[in-house]
Amino acid sequence: AQYIQMVDKRSPEGGIVSLALNITDTIRREEEMRDARDQAEAANRAKSTFLANMSHEIRTPLNGILGYSELLSETWLNDDQRHYLERVQFAGAAVLSTVNEILDRSKIGAGRLTFRTKPFFLVPMIDNTISIVANQITKKGLQLDIDFATGLPEEVVGDEGCIRQILLNFLSNACKFTEQGRIHLTVDRADRISGPCIRFTVCDTGIGLDEADVERIFDRFYQVEQTPLSCFGGAGLGLAISKRLAGNMGGEIGVHSRKNEGTTFWFTIPFITPVARTRQTRVIPVPLPRSAALQC
């Protein structure tokens, strides 16, 4: 098929000149580009769906392995057996974390990730999140400090699970890459023109990042490789997923770091309060064996 475009132009003499332009090649190229785009989008959806299904199939038996290993740890074991079992649990937890990251990423890519907003209490959410990493922090002999600012709302409306996931990722990374010193969690307000926000900041005294790592740390599958601590593994998806989650909830995310001087990760989340009340008292979220104090 031939596509002809008629263009009328006024000549210098005042007359009308009609030009016939053959735009068949232009239209054909546009159709080819649309077809290529549609094929790429279909392939991406198929890949995301496949990864989501495979991640689910792997995670189900892996949860069983970890569950039975936990039961086994409660039985009598000699020192060698307990050491081997701890290595199995550590490796299994690392694999499960990677599978969960792949599953989350595939859900986002396939457009299947939905947000569930409902009222929840801030302090219990933080308490439950810290309790997941408290044992690791204690084993490494690190100090955990929590600073909950005055005037924050006691109850907010949002997706508690997604907020917890981002916070847990930051705390886990801080514990993983900090061999000595402290981890400091700050929760305060960081209001923007668009509305009130809650800011979560996790600061550690770990290995830190150089400038190149800071620029790419939120990229998919990016890992810091120039350190022995990279042996802790991971797929390099956790921070990329955290960035997508924060952005999709209308928030922001960022990092400040210097090599060998520690790292500070932060994210903000817009909020509304279901009731007009704010917290005025100080609460210790998690009682750790070491110094874990909620400071004023």
Side-chain angles (χ1 to χ4, degrees):
Q2 297 290 317
Y3 297 92
I4 306 299
Q5 183 179 35
M6 301 300 296
V7 180
D8 293 334
K9 292 187 176 181
R10 185 173 297 276
S11 68
E13 293 77 13
I16 300 297
V17 178
S18 295
L19 300 177
L21 303 177
N22 189 335
I23 59 172
T24 302
D25 292 340
T26 301
I27 292 179
R28 183 178 294 115
R29 285 194 296 269
E30 292 176 350
E31 291 176 345
E32 290 174 351
M33 292 177 62
R34 284 195 296 269
D35 290 341
R37 181 198 61 194
D38 293 342
Q39 292 176 11
E41 291 177 350
N44 186 58
R45 287 193 297 269
K47 178 188 68 176
S48 298
T49 301
F50 171 77
L51 287 175
N53 292 336
M54 287 302 299
S55 298
H56 176 75
E57 295 300 324
I58 295 172
R59 188 174 59 173
T60 300
L62 187 57
N63 279 324
I65 294 172
L66 291 174
Y68 280 111
S69 66
E70 183 67 25
L71 293 175
L72 182 60
S73 68
E74 298 175 0
T75 64
W76 184 89
L77 300 170
N78 61 40
D79 292 341
D80 287 340
Q81 291 171 331
R82 188 163 297 280
H83 173 73
Y84 297 148
L85 180 59
E86 288 176 352
R87 295 300 89 193
V88 170
Q89 290 176 316
F90 179 86
V95 174
L96 182 60
S97 176
T98 300
V99 170
N100 286 336
E101 288 179 351
I102 294 174
L103 180 60
D104 289 337
R105 180 69 200 184
S106 61
K107 284 182 178 179
I108 293 174
R112 294 167 54 187
L113 184 66
T114 57
F115 293 97
R116 299 176 176 85
T117 58
K118 62 179 181 180
F120 69 93
F121 292 94
L122 269 177
V123 169
M125 184 276 291
I126 297 172
D127 175 79
N128 293 333
T129 305
I130 295 178
S131 67
I132 299 174
V133 296
N135 190 47
Q136 303 174 41
I137 293 174
T138 302
K139 283 184 176 180
K140 298 188 74 171
L142 302 174
Q143 176 179 325
L144 174 63
D145 300 321
I146 304 99
D147 185 355
F148 198 94
T150 303
L152 280 173
E154 180 177 309
E155 188 178 9
V156 298
V157 177
D159 191 313
E160 180 180 4
C162 289
I163 297 173
R164 182 190 296 114
Q165 183 174 352
I166 302 173
L167 182 58
L168 179 60
N169 184 275
F170 285 1
L171 289 170
S172 297
N173 281 343
C175 180
K176 182 188 298 184
F177 296 110
T178 303
E179 288 301 294
Q180 58 183 0
R182 58 195 285 270
I183 298 171
H184 191 108
L185 168 63
T186 303
V187 185
D188 57 6
R189 290 185 65 141
D191 294 348
R192 301 184 301 184
I193 297 177
S194 57
C197 292
I198 296 176
R199 180 185 178 106
F200 298 84
T201 305
V202 177
C203 180
D204 65 59
T205 57
I207 61 174
L209 303 168
D210 59 30
E211 186 175 345
D213 291 325
V214 169
E215 292 177 354
R216 298 190 56 195
I217 197 65
F218 291 108
D219 292 349
R220 286 182 296 169
F221 304 110
Y222 183 76
Q223 295 174 292
V224 180
E225 297 293 348
Q226 68 253 29
T227 168
L229 292 178
S230 61
C231 65
F232 283 96
L237 281 172
L239 291 175
I241 292 171
S242 296
K243 183 177 181 179
R244 289 290 298 272
L245 291 177
N248 289 344
M249 288 187 288
E252 297 178 338
I253 196 169
V255 58
H256 306 290
S257 184
R258 296 186 66 179
K259 192 67 176 177
N260 300 320
E261 295 184 11
T263 303
T264 298
F265 282 99
W266 60 268
F267 71 99
T268 60
I269 297 296
F271 74 90
I272 59 174
T273 53
V275 290
R277 63 173 183 262
T278 58
R279 173 168 293 277
Q280 300 294 341
T281 58
R282 290 289 158 285
V283 178
I284 298 178
V286 176
L288 295 179
R290 291 183 61 84
S291 174
L294 190 59
Q295 303 172 351
C296 296

